[in-house]
Each structure stands twice: as C-alpha cells, then as structure tokens.
Amino acid sequence: EAGVVQSPRYKIIEKKQPVAFWCNPISGHNTLYWYRQNLGQGPELLIRYENEEAVDDSQLPKDRFSAERLKGVDSTLKIQPAELGDSAVYLCASSKRLAGVHTQYFGPGTRLTVL
Amino acid sequence: DAKTTQPNSMESNEEEPVHLPCNHSTISGTDYIHWYRQLPSQGPEYVIHGLTSNVNNRMASLAIAEDRKSSTLILHRATLRDAAVYYCILSGTQGGKLIFGQGTELSVKP
C-alpha cells in the first residue's frame, strides 16, 4: 500500500513570494490533515478535512494561508505571501476511522525555508 | 483538550527494554491513548493506541494504569533504529484530532 505522498520535499523562497504544497493521501482515507512543525516542536494541526469539507480550520492563519481538497482526494496548502516565520516543515496526514479510532499516517513533509 | 506530560529525554542501551512514561491525569473516559514516534527527518509514525486494557503489537506494548491517569510505552529490545522522539497523545473519537506535545527524545547507545 502506497503511503502519503507530498511534494515538493524541499522549498526555498524569498519572503513575500507565494508557495504551494501538494498532498496525495492513502487511497480510501476520507480524512486529511495538514500540520506545521517548527524546529524542536511537535506538529500543530492547521486544518482537517472530511472528504472535501474543511471541518476544523481554527488554527489556519486565514489571512495568508489557504487550503483546498477538490474531489475529496488530493489537497493543496498555499501560503501567500510567505513570511520569515513560516519557515517550518509542513506535514500532511490521512486516516480512516476503524473501530472508532483514526490512526493517522503521515507523509515525509515539505521543508520550507523563507529567506 | 486533555494534556500529557512526558520526560524531555531518555537514554537506553541497545537490546535492552525501554519504558517510556506518560502522565495524563485529566484524561476523560472517552479519550484514547495514542503513541506516535518521529525518526529524524521523517513524519510521525503510528506506534500503538489503547483505551483501558494493555495492548501489544509488533512494535511495542502499551501498559495503561488502572485509573488511566498514566501509561507506559514499552519497547522490548531497543535498537539503534528506535532512536526517535516519542509522543504520547490523548484523542477522543471525534475526527482523530491529535495535539502533539514536546515528546520524549529517546537516544539508544550501542
């Protein structure tokens, strides 16, 4: 079974530029998550999708961040414009509910550096 | 959301058992206890989860205190590849939201 795929793996941009990250979840997983992980910290949830609906985006900075999950499969996370503080690893995860529990499977992440 | 407390770091010797503790005194009756680990430069990886009873799988064992206010992840024979940050997380059944803390950084000495 293929895992969660993310691209690109690394991205270096200058501040004020836009950037986008792409995620392909595990086939059959209805729930998709985007996390941000700052250096030395645990991941923080940005947004959670159930199929194509964003059901928890309370931690997404909506002034510059946007996300979409068209057709309930792949997802894109965008930052426009990027700021220096956005440098972090952006992780995508997917899950499906089994016996009342969501076990999340994470992709390798995209490491973003904003100069 | 209920909070967990873990030691910042632990050391182990290769091929010896490792017991990673986690305190969660404010756990609610419907919270599952999840453990994930994150190897260097990788995304987190599921290890094990439980509700009330002790659990075993091919990676580890999870021992849950009778009052559920603490749990212990047990690696039966640590290998160098088990060096990682281990996260203990409480999660209800609503959408699987995980709130990661700082975790325990496990180092394994040969």
Side-chain angles (χ1 to χ4, degrees):
Chain A
E1 178 181 80
V4 175
V5 179
Q6 290 189 247
S7 69
R9 290 295 313 276
Y10 304 91
K11 188 74 177 179
I12 300 174
I13 61 171
E14 294 193 345
K15 63 182 180 181
K16 301 185 182 178
Q17 295 299 306
V19 64
F21 314 122
W22 175 80
C23 173
N24 178 242
I26 293 173
S27 177
H29 282 195
N30 298 329
T31 310
L32 184 145
Y33 314 76
W34 282 102
Y35 290 85
R36 176 171 59 190
Q37 185 170 25
N38 293 312
L39 192 64
Q41 305 291 320
E44 297 174 282
L45 180 69
L46 291 174
I47 189 167
R48 173 169 62 93
Y49 282 93
E50 291 290 343
N51 298 304
E52 63 272 11
E53 181 182 357
V55 295
D56 184 354
D57 63 356
S58 57
Q59 300 302 311
L60 189 72
K62 298 183 183 62
D63 56 337
R64 297 183 299 107
F65 285 65
S66 64
E68 61 182 13
R69 191 184 184 198
L70 300 176
K71 301 181 182 177
V73 181
D74 294 0
S75 178
T76 303
L77 178 69
K78 298 178 181 177
I79 308 174
Q80 182 170 14
E83 297 179 351
L84 295 176
D86 296 330
S87 294
V89 175
Y90 291 83
L91 293 158
C92 179
S94 70
S95 70
K96 68 177 180 181
R97 186 170 171 170
L98 284 174
V101 176
H102 285 261
T103 296
Q104 293 188 28
Y105 295 86
F106 286 78
T110 297
R111 181 176 298 277
L112 173 68
T113 302
V114 182
L115 302 175
Chain B
D1 297 301
K3 184 179 164 61
T4 64
T5 304
Q6 300 177 252
N8 288 334
S9 62
M10 291 184 64
E11 271 191 358
S12 171
N13 294 317
E14 196 175 13
E15 299 189 7
E16 290 186 356
V18 182
H19 290 233
L20 296 163
C22 181
N23 288 319
H24 30 78
S25 58
T26 60
I27 190 170
S28 74
T30 56
D31 282 337
Y32 282 80
I33 302 158
H34 299 256
W35 284 82
Y36 284 74
R37 72 179 185 180
Q38 189 169 21
L39 279 64
S41 300
Q42 295 188 26
E45 172 188 34
Y46 168 79
V47 177
I48 201 167
H49 76 274
L51 184 61
T52 56
S53 304
N54 295 343
V55 185
N56 300 297
N57 66 19
R58 64 176 179 80
M59 289 181 70
S61 295
L62 176 59
I64 301 173
E66 197 169 333
D67 64 4
R68 300 211 324 126
K69 294 185 176 182
S70 65
S71 61
T72 302
L73 180 71
I74 303 165
L75 307 179
H76 295 286
R77 284 179 74 242
T79 70
L80 297 178
R81 288 173 294 178
D82 291 322
V85 177
Y86 287 78
Y87 297 99
C88 169
I89 306 165
L90 302 183
S91 178
T93 56
Q94 297 289 328
K97 181 174 181 176
L98 300 178
I99 300 177
F100 288 81
Q102 296 281 84
T104 296
E105 184 170 11
L106 175 67
S107 57
V108 181
K109 295 185 291 184

